[in-house]
């Protein structure tokens, strides 16, 4: 049984001993594949370091998080894009639009989003989308970019059924994380109407820990609690959840 965490910031833990323990707990829980989203220029080296330590288990992305799209975003985009040469990258992410913290940067967030979608298409890579309080704005960009090259994951999907179906129609998988275990979130009812073939698992660690760890720092080993929730929703074994979602991740990332 192999689980795949399609979205983890495990590299944020820079204490070598604590980082090793995080990875050890992953392996103890069969979380053997971890995809590492980039957020800014500083995180590139941290990601590369973790990949170098665990080359068979950790896989890098490159991208500028929408919350880091500020006045200097064009220079940051250049720095991140230039870092891709000579590295093995499996997706452009995490990218997108976040209107929770700052609505005033919408225009430059949209521009950065479009530019990075262009990178993905030219490189033949999927994108990993961060969308917070911005479904309408994200879909506006995606619909204008719709073609056979556009594909990827809607990270931390928390939308309604119509939004789920629109994302899938745009050739995106839905990244399901700890929110599905929260009683009042309603996400369990949404995905009950979505075939498992369209889902992947993620933790977004150290954020959004699943029940029974809600409110505490998240880690990739907790992916098993998300998987068990999906097993309950779909009425299948946790082994089937692992097999299907890991195969879905292979379809997306090519590894």
């Amino acid at each position: 049984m192999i689980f795949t965490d399609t979205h983890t910031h495990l590299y944020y833990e820079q204490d070598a001993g604590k980082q090793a323990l995080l990875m050890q707990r992953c392996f103890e829980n069969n979380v053997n594949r971890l995809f590492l989203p980039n957020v800014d220029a500083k995180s590139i080296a941290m990601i590369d370091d973790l990949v170098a330590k665990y080359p068979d288990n950790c896989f890098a992305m490159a991208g500028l998080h929408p919350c880091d799209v500020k006045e200097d975003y064009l220079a940051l985009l250049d720095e991140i894009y230039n870092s891709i040469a000579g590295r093995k990258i499996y997706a452009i992410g995490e990218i997108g639009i976040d209107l929770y913290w700052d609505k005033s940067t919408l225009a430059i967030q949209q521009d950065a989003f479009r530019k990075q979608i262009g990178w993905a298409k030219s490189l033949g890579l999927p994108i990993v989308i961060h969308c917070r309080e911005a479904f309408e704005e994200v879909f506006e960009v995606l619909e204008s970019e719709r073609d056979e090259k556009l594909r990827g994951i809607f990270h931390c999907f928390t939308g309604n059924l119509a939004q789920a179906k629109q994302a899938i129609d745009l050739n995106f998988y839905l990244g399901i994380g700890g929110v599905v275990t929260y009683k009042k979130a309603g996400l369990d009812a949404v995905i009950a109407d979505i075939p498992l073939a369209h889902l992947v698992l993620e933790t977004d660690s150290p954020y959004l820990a699943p029940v029974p760890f809600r409110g505490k720092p998240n880690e990739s080993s907790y992916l098993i609690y998300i998987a068990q929730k999906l097993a309950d929703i779909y009425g299948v074994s946790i082994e089937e959840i692992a097999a299907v979602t890991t195969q879905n991740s292979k379809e997306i990332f090519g590894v």
Side-chain angles (χ1 to χ4, degrees), residues 150-163:
L150 183 67
R151 60 190 183 89
I153 298 173
F154 247 90
H155 149 60
C156 192
F157 182 81
T158 55
N160 58 36
L161 184 58
Q163 290 163 337

Side-chain angles (χ1 to χ4, degrees), residues 168-181:
I168 291 166
D169 185 60
L170 281 157
N171 206 21
F172 284 84
Y173 289 76
L174 308 181
I176 305 301
V179 174
V180 77
T181 69

Side-chain angles (χ1 to χ4, degrees), residues 118-205:
W119 299 356
K121 288 181 177 182
S122 66
L123 295 167
L125 294 175
I127 62 172
V128 173
I129 296 174
H130 173 105
C131 174
R132 191 172 187 190
E133 295 193 2
F135 273 107
E136 184 177 336
E137 292 80 4
V138 165
F139 279 132
E140 181 182 348
V141 172
L142 293 179
E143 290 290 356
S144 70
E145 295 283 346
R146 180 195 283 264
D147 61 18
E148 70 283 352
K149 294 181 179 180
L150 183 67
R151 60 190 183 89
I153 298 173
F154 247 90
H155 149 60
C156 192
F157 182 81
T158 55
N160 58 36
L161 184 58
Q163 290 163 337
K165 290 180 176 178
Q166 186 174 1
I168 291 166
D169 185 60
L170 281 157
N171 206 21
F172 284 84
Y173 289 76
L174 308 181
I176 305 301
V179 174
V180 77
T181 69
Y182 302 168
K183 285 185 177 180
K184 295 182 180 179
L187 184 59
D188 53 348
V190 171
I191 65 170
D193 289 324
I194 299 295
L196 187 59
H198 298 298
L199 307 184
V200 291
L201 301 180
E202 62 168 68
T203 60
D204 197 24
S205 77

Side-chain angles (χ1 to χ4, degrees), residues 5 7-8 202-205 207-208 218-220 222-223 226:
D5 188 347
H7 199 108
T8 174
E202 62 168 68
T203 60
D204 197 24
S205 77
Y207 313 111
L208 297 173
N218 199 5
E219 57 181 77
S220 288
Y222 295 167
L223 197 74
I226 300 162

